[in-house]
Amino acid sequence: RAKSLLSLGACDAIQAVLAPYKNVSGPQAADISWLLKAATEREANVPALVDRLLATSASDSTRLPAEAPYFGPMALRHLEGRKGRGLVASRRIPKGTVLLVERTVFPLAPPETPEHPVPLLEALARQLSQGGPRADMMRDLLGSMHPLSDDEEKTSRERRRAAISSATAKHALPQQALEAYEGAAIASIAAAHGLPKHTLEAYDLKISLNQMEMKHRVKGELVDAGAFKSYTRGLFPLASLLNHSCDANTQFFPLAGGLAMGVRAIQDIEEGEECTDTYIGLSTVGAHRRSKLEKTHGFWCACRRCSAPSGSILHRLECQGQALVCPLAAEGSETHLLLPGDPYAGPILPGYWPADPSCRTRHLTREQAEVRLGEVRKRFEELHTRLAQGDALGGCDAAEAA
């Protein structure tokens, strides 16, 4: 068992498995001693491994070094409530600790284009059509990924239809057209590689629910980091076990040009505490963020940030996340902040803005404050339009800067 764990780089688990046998004598003593030493050395070399992979491009590396992958001090556990399973800390984890180094198990896929709307499925189909041990491994892996039952598949398809409906409404497109477009693309891939269409449709659902975009992000937000923008999509089975939190304590980052990924602790994590990632950008707040998660991932978030009671520090920070700053007020006090109402109260978008926009500093009349607030809101909406249509309005760089 310890030898199998070493192939995953699960050093903490190796120590736990072999702990009762550290003082054993006989022919297995040398093997046990070697495995314990290998686990200790593997863990000590993780920082150097990450540095090396950060400096490696996808074209320079077709396989990870022998000391990768790595699975840190985490354990898979059944969690109470609707989360199902997840990863928890098996010991206290200091901020900055690397928790995971994992290679994508599928071929790298380029970003989506009109000609290739499902690039990861296309890359998978190409590999499956070639047969061999790698194709068998991919089939086994897909069989172990969510959704695992007919009920889960039905729920996942309904969730995906809701996500498509939201996307088509946003861009004023007919939902049936997008569904037919994707269906035709899957049928074309199936025919090109001699695979059953219904099989690829099932695989496409699994991929859409488990794939990860290899772009450099902080707290879910895309970072302008040069080459990091060009990374692609992949499936990372171990990393996909991390559940979502809007106050996540880990952050993933691309390695080896997107061939691999790392996960690092961005907060101290106590023993027994769940290790979490964020599935969406966290610049949205309150009810708007929870609604977005429900549409795209099928759950109403109840993390400690979303369920923070009114008046608590997290709830107050949520309000301040959408505060407007009055340039006429004195610095260093909260009187210069125009805070929204309860960020978790509906209606969603109007809830961002105070019901009473009166100026607390008395520099503006109520009417002047309403005019100023309207100007800010108009500018805010203009910038969001630029961001959504970045390619048409000066390029993505300009939109992200806005």
Side-chain angles (χ1 to χ4, degrees):
R1 184 179 175 193
K3 289 178 179 177
S4 297
L5 290 168
L6 186 61
S7 69
L8 292 174
C11 303
D12 235 53
I14 292 171
Q15 299 281 358
V17 166
L18 295 180
Y21 309 104
K22 285 184 177 180
N23 300 318
V24 74
S25 59
Q28 289 188 319
D31 282 349
I32 292 171
S33 176
W34 178 83
L35 283 164
L36 288 169
K37 182 181 178 182
T40 301
E41 291 177 349
R42 174 80 70 91
E43 189 160 24
N45 289 334
V46 168
L49 168 68
V50 169
D51 288 342
R52 191 156 75 253
L53 291 176
L54 281 170
T56 303
S57 68
S59 59
D60 295 334
S61 175
T62 56
R63 53 183 298 180
L64 292 183
E67 61 268 37
Y70 171 72
F71 187 86
M74 302 179 291
L76 185 64
R77 294 285 184 268
H78 177 75
L79 305 172
E80 296 298 325
R82 298 175 58 191
K83 281 192 172 183
R85 60 185 182 179
L87 296 175
V88 301
S90 55
R91 56 179 164 86
R92 187 179 186 278
I93 300 171
K95 177 182 177 180
T97 302
V98 175
L99 299 176
L100 188 66
V101 176
E102 183 179 15
R103 190 192 199 284
T104 178
V105 296
F106 281 11
L108 280 179
E112 292 178 2
T113 65
E115 295 78 21
H116 302 279
V118 281
L120 194 54
L121 182 68
E122 195 169 357
L124 168 66
R126 190 179 306 113
Q127 187 74 53
L128 292 177
S129 66
Q130 295 172 3
R134 184 164 176 77
D136 293 339
M137 179 272 292
M138 288 181 176
R139 287 191 181 91
D140 290 342
L141 178 64
L142 285 163
S144 68
M145 298 181 79
H146 176 82
L148 299 174
S149 66
D150 291 342
D151 287 343
E152 285 185 355
E153 182 172 340
K154 179 181 178 182
T155 302
S156 298
R157 290 196 182 281
E158 290 173 351
R159 182 192 313 167
R160 192 174 185 196
R161 280 186 61 85
I164 290 175
S165 176
S166 175
T168 52
K170 180 179 179 181
H171 298 287
L173 297 171
Q175 179 173 345
Q176 294 83 356
L178 183 56
E179 290 177 335
Y181 176 62
E182 286 196 353
I186 294 172
S188 175
I189 294 170
H193 297 284
L195 298 169
K197 182 186 174 185
H198 69 274
T199 299
L200 282 192
E201 286 175 338
Y203 288 165
D204 180 56
L205 180 64
K206 288 175 178 281
I207 288 172
S208 69
L209 296 174
N210 293 282
Q211 68 180 347
M212 302 180 78
E213 260 191 317
M214 293 314 298
K215 293 182 178 180
H216 196 62
R217 295 177 183 270
V218 174
K219 287 288 187 181
E221 300 298 336
L222 185 62
V223 174
D224 186 354
F228 283 133
K229 287 183 181 178
S230 64
Y231 289 150
T232 53
R233 299 162 186 259
L235 284 182
F236 300 85
L238 297 176
S240 67
L241 293 171
L242 291 165
N243 288 318
H244 169 85
S245 171
C246 299
D247 188 36
N249 52 25
T250 75
Q251 174 68 51
F252 75 80
F253 53 96
L255 295 170
L259 282 174
M261 70 175 298
V263 175
R264 194 189 305 273
I266 57 175
Q267 302 174 15
D268 292 338
I269 306 173
E270 299 303 322
E271 181 177 353
E273 183 181 352
E274 186 181 6
C275 300
T276 55
D277 184 29
T278 177
Y279 293 173
I280 63 171
L282 300 181
S283 58
T284 52
V285 299
H288 184 60
R289 185 180 65 248
R290 296 176 94 178
S291 177
K292 183 176 181 180
L293 278 165
E294 186 177 38
K295 288 177 181 177
T296 58
H297 291 83
F299 63 89
W300 187 251
C301 189
C303 71
R304 65 178 185 174
R305 179 176 170 185
C306 287
S307 57
S310 179
S312 66
I313 292 176
L314 280 176
H315 189 276
R316 194 169 182 79
L317 289 174
E318 195 81 352
C319 289
Q320 292 179 354
Q322 284 292 314
L324 302 177
V325 180
C326 176
L328 302 177
E331 293 291 340
S333 71
E334 285 195 3
T335 57
H336 74 295
L337 296 180
L338 185 61
L339 297 175
D342 185 352
Y344 293 104
I348 292 170
L349 190 59
Y352 278 0
W353 308 95
D356 179 8
S358 298
C359 179
R360 298 182 185 182
T361 61
R362 308 304 179 195
H363 287 293
L364 301 175
T365 66
R366 178 184 175 88
E367 291 73 21
Q368 288 172 327
E370 287 178 340
V371 171
R372 181 70 61 87
L373 187 59
E375 291 172 351
V376 173
R377 183 170 182 174
K378 181 180 178 181
R379 180 63 177 150
F380 182 77
E381 291 169 349
E382 288 173 351
L383 291 177
H384 266 266
T385 300
R386 283 193 65 191
L387 182 60
Q389 301 175 353
D391 288 331
L393 298 173
C396 290
D397 289 344
E400 285 171 10

mmCIF file of all heavy atoms in Angstrom, residues 177-200:
data_model
loop_
_atom_site.group_PDB
_atom_site.id
_atom_site.type_symbol
_atom_site.label_atom_id
_atom_site.label_comp_id
_atom_site.label_asym_id
_atom_site.label_seq_id
_atom_site.Cartn_x
_atom_site.Cartn_y
_atom_site.Cartn_z
ATOM 1 N N ALA A 177 -30.492 26.884 -30.251
ATOM 2 C CA ALA A 177 -29.434 26.980 -31.257
ATOM 3 C C ALA A 177 -28.096 26.531 -30.688
ATOM 4 O O ALA A 177 -27.344 25.795 -31.332
ATOM 5 C CB ALA A 177 -29.335 28.422 -31.775
ATOM 6 N N LEU A 178 -27.797 26.955 -29.440
ATOM 7 C CA LEU A 178 -26.523 26.574 -28.827
ATOM 8 C C LEU A 178 -26.491 25.079 -28.537
ATOM 9 O O LEU A 178 -25.475 24.407 -28.774
ATOM 10 C CB LEU A 178 -26.303 27.372 -27.547
ATOM 11 C CG LEU A 178 -24.971 27.135 -26.828
ATOM 12 C CD1 LEU A 178 -23.789 27.406 -27.755
ATOM 13 C CD2 LEU A 178 -24.863 28.001 -25.576
ATOM 14 N N GLU A 179 -27.605 24.532 -28.032
ATOM 15 C CA GLU A 179 -27.652 23.099 -27.747
ATOM 16 C C GLU A 179 -27.495 22.280 -29.025
ATOM 17 O O GLU A 179 -26.783 21.267 -29.052
ATOM 18 C CB GLU A 179 -28.962 22.755 -27.043
ATOM 19 C CG GLU A 179 -29.034 23.304 -25.626
ATOM 20 C CD GLU A 179 -30.368 23.021 -24.967
ATOM 21 O OE1 GLU A 179 -31.359 22.856 -25.706
ATOM 22 O OE2 GLU A 179 -30.423 22.963 -23.735
ATOM 23 N N ALA A 180 -28.149 22.711 -30.110
ATOM 24 C CA ALA A 180 -28.027 22.011 -31.384
ATOM 25 C C ALA A 180 -26.603 22.117 -31.926
ATOM 26 O O ALA A 180 -26.057 21.166 -32.496
ATOM 27 C CB ALA A 180 -29.014 22.597 -32.397
ATOM 28 N N TYR A 181 -25.989 23.279 -31.722
ATOM 29 C CA TYR A 181 -24.614 23.507 -32.180
ATOM 30 C C TYR A 181 -23.645 22.553 -31.476
ATOM 31 O O TYR A 181 -22.818 21.895 -32.112
ATOM 32 C CB TYR A 181 -24.253 24.964 -31.892
ATOM 33 C CG TYR A 181 -22.840 25.365 -32.209
ATOM 34 C CD1 TYR A 181 -22.356 25.303 -33.510
ATOM 35 C CD2 TYR A 181 -21.997 25.833 -31.215
ATOM 36 C CE1 TYR A 181 -21.057 25.692 -33.807
ATOM 37 C CE2 TYR A 181 -20.701 26.226 -31.503
ATOM 38 C CZ TYR A 181 -20.243 26.159 -32.793
ATOM 39 O OH TYR A 181 -18.963 26.538 -33.085
ATOM 40 N N GLU A 182 -23.784 22.447 -30.128
ATOM 41 C CA GLU A 182 -22.915 21.536 -29.385
ATOM 42 C C GLU A 182 -23.210 20.082 -29.755
ATOM 43 O O GLU A 182 -22.301 19.264 -29.864
ATOM 44 C CB GLU A 182 -23.089 21.747 -27.877
ATOM 45 C CG GLU A 182 -22.438 23.021 -27.375
ATOM 46 C CD GLU A 182 -22.274 23.019 -25.865
ATOM 47 O OE1 GLU A 182 -22.781 22.085 -25.208
ATOM 48 O OE2 GLU A 182 -21.622 23.941 -25.348
ATOM 49 N N GLY A 183 -24.502 19.748 -29.928
ATOM 50 C CA GLY A 183 -24.859 18.380 -30.301
ATOM 51 C C GLY A 183 -24.280 17.984 -31.637
ATOM 52 O O GLY A 183 -23.777 16.860 -31.807
ATOM 53 N N ALA A 184 -24.311 18.896 -32.602
ATOM 54 C CA ALA A 184 -23.737 18.621 -33.919
ATOM 55 C C ALA A 184 -22.232 18.442 -33.824
ATOM 56 O O ALA A 184 -21.643 17.597 -34.515
ATOM 57 C CB ALA A 184 -24.079 19.760 -34.888
ATOM 58 N N ALA A 185 -21.579 19.247 -32.958
ATOM 59 C CA ALA A 185 -20.130 19.133 -32.789
ATOM 60 C C ALA A 185 -19.765 17.770 -32.206
ATOM 61 O O ALA A 185 -18.808 17.123 -32.659
ATOM 62 C CB ALA A 185 -19.621 20.252 -31.881
ATOM 63 N N ILE A 186 -20.526 17.292 -31.219
ATOM 64 C CA ILE A 186 -20.257 15.984 -30.615
ATOM 65 C C ILE A 186 -20.481 14.871 -31.630
ATOM 66 O O ILE A 186 -19.691 13.920 -31.726
ATOM 67 C CB ILE A 186 -21.143 15.783 -29.370
ATOM 68 C CG1 ILE A 186 -20.743 16.782 -28.281
ATOM 69 C CG2 ILE A 186 -21.037 14.351 -28.851
ATOM 70 C CD1 ILE A 186 -21.674 16.793 -27.087
ATOM 71 N N ALA A 187 -21.570 14.975 -32.421
ATOM 72 C CA ALA A 187 -21.843 13.967 -33.455
ATOM 73 C C ALA A 187 -20.719 13.924 -34.482
ATOM 74 O O ALA A 187 -20.299 12.847 -34.937
ATOM 75 C CB ALA A 187 -23.170 14.280 -34.134
ATOM 76 N N SER A 188 -20.189 15.085 -34.845
ATOM 77 C CA SER A 188 -19.104 15.150 -35.814
ATOM 78 C C SER A 188 -17.838 14.497 -35.270
ATOM 79 O O SER A 188 -17.142 13.757 -35.981
ATOM 80 C CB SER A 188 -18.829 16.620 -36.171
ATOM 81 O OG SER A 188 -17.708 16.727 -37.014
ATOM 82 N N ILE A 189 -17.521 14.747 -33.996
ATOM 83 C CA ILE A 189 -16.337 14.145 -33.373
ATOM 84 C C ILE A 189 -16.500 12.631 -33.286
ATOM 85 O O ILE A 189 -15.567 11.872 -33.563
ATOM 86 C CB ILE A 189 -16.110 14.751 -31.972
ATOM 87 C CG1 ILE A 189 -15.748 16.233 -32.093
ATOM 88 C CG2 ILE A 189 -15.015 14.008 -31.228
ATOM 89 C CD1 ILE A 189 -15.748 16.964 -30.766
ATOM 90 N N ALA A 190 -17.693 12.178 -32.899
ATOM 91 C CA ALA A 190 -17.951 10.736 -32.788
ATOM 92 C C ALA A 190 -17.751 10.049 -34.135
ATOM 93 O O ALA A 190 -17.115 8.985 -34.226
ATOM 94 C CB ALA A 190 -19.362 10.500 -32.265
ATOM 95 N N ALA A 191 -18.281 10.662 -35.207
ATOM 96 C CA ALA A 191 -18.145 10.072 -36.542
ATOM 97 C C ALA A 191 -16.697 10.062 -37.002
ATOM 98 O O ALA A 191 -16.227 9.083 -37.598
ATOM 99 C CB ALA A 191 -19.009 10.854 -37.531
ATOM 100 N N ALA A 192 -15.966 11.123 -36.706
ATOM 101 C CA ALA A 192 -14.572 11.231 -37.161
ATOM 102 C C ALA A 192 -13.675 10.191 -36.517
ATOM 103 O O ALA A 192 -12.697 9.742 -37.129
ATOM 104 C CB ALA A 192 -14.044 12.636 -36.876
ATOM 105 N N HIS A 193 -14.011 9.784 -35.276
ATOM 106 C CA HIS A 193 -13.133 8.861 -34.553
ATOM 107 C C HIS A 193 -13.764 7.492 -34.334
ATOM 108 O O HIS A 193 -13.208 6.669 -33.600
ATOM 109 C CB HIS A 193 -12.732 9.481 -33.214
ATOM 110 C CG HIS A 193 -11.938 10.753 -33.355
ATOM 111 N ND1 HIS A 193 -10.611 10.762 -33.706
ATOM 112 C CD2 HIS A 193 -12.301 12.051 -33.227
ATOM 113 C CE1 HIS A 193 -10.169 12.008 -33.765
ATOM 114 N NE2 HIS A 193 -11.178 12.808 -33.490
ATOM 115 N N GLY A 194 -14.906 7.233 -34.965
ATOM 116 C CA GLY A 194 -15.523 5.918 -34.889
ATOM 117 C C GLY A 194 -15.994 5.541 -33.494
ATOM 118 O O GLY A 194 -15.885 4.379 -33.088
ATOM 119 N N LEU A 195 -16.538 6.512 -32.755
ATOM 120 C CA LEU A 195 -17.001 6.248 -31.392
ATOM 121 C C LEU A 195 -18.507 6.495 -31.296
ATOM 122 O O LEU A 195 -19.045 7.336 -32.021
ATOM 123 C CB LEU A 195 -16.277 7.181 -30.406
ATOM 124 C CG LEU A 195 -14.748 7.013 -30.344
ATOM 125 C CD1 LEU A 195 -14.133 8.160 -29.551
ATOM 126 C CD2 LEU A 195 -14.381 5.674 -29.710
ATOM 127 N N PRO A 196 -19.227 5.766 -30.416
ATOM 128 C CA PRO A 196 -20.680 5.974 -30.279
ATOM 129 C C PRO A 196 -20.980 7.383 -29.766
ATOM 130 O O PRO A 196 -20.351 7.861 -28.814
ATOM 131 C CB PRO A 196 -21.099 4.916 -29.254
ATOM 132 C CG PRO A 196 -19.980 3.916 -29.226
ATOM 133 C CD PRO A 196 -18.736 4.665 -29.556
ATOM 134 N N LYS A 197 -21.967 8.018 -30.373
ATOM 135 C CA LYS A 197 -22.321 9.383 -29.977
ATOM 136 C C LYS A 197 -22.788 9.441 -28.529
ATOM 137 O O LYS A 197 -22.414 10.357 -27.779
ATOM 138 C CB LYS A 197 -23.412 9.929 -30.904
ATOM 139 C CG LYS A 197 -23.808 11.366 -30.579
ATOM 140 C CD LYS A 197 -24.986 11.850 -31.403
ATOM 141 C CE LYS A 197 -25.443 13.235 -30.960
ATOM 142 N NZ LYS A 197 -26.660 13.687 -31.650
ATOM 143 N N HIS A 198 -23.611 8.464 -28.091
ATOM 144 C CA HIS A 198 -24.141 8.512 -26.724
ATOM 145 C C HIS A 198 -23.017 8.394 -25.695
ATOM 146 O O HIS A 198 -23.097 8.966 -24.601
ATOM 147 C CB HIS A 198 -25.195 7.411 -26.508
ATOM 148 C CG HIS A 198 -24.638 6.021 -26.495
ATOM 149 N ND1 HIS A 198 -24.453 5.284 -27.654
ATOM 150 C CD2 HIS A 198 -24.193 5.240 -25.469
ATOM 151 C CE1 HIS A 198 -23.954 4.105 -27.344
ATOM 152 N NE2 HIS A 198 -23.774 4.058 -26.041
ATOM 153 N N THR A 199 -21.951 7.654 -26.049
ATOM 154 C CA THR A 199 -20.803 7.545 -25.140
ATOM 155 C C THR A 199 -20.102 8.889 -24.998
ATOM 156 O O THR A 199 -19.779 9.332 -23.887
ATOM 157 C CB THR A 199 -19.805 6.500 -25.663
ATOM 158 O OG1 THR A 199 -20.448 5.227 -25.733
ATOM 159 C CG2 THR A 199 -18.591 6.394 -24.742
ATOM 160 N N LEU A 200 -19.887 9.571 -26.116
ATOM 161 C CA LEU A 200 -19.227 10.874 -26.064
ATOM 162 C C LEU A 200 -20.109 11.914 -25.365
ATOM 163 O O LEU A 200 -19.590 12.817 -24.711
ATOM 164 C CB LEU A 200 -18.874 11.350 -27.469
ATOM 165 C CG LEU A 200 -17.630 10.713 -28.115
ATOM 166 C CD1 LEU A 200 -17.238 11.475 -29.360
ATOM 167 C CD2 LEU A 200 -16.460 10.659 -27.150
#
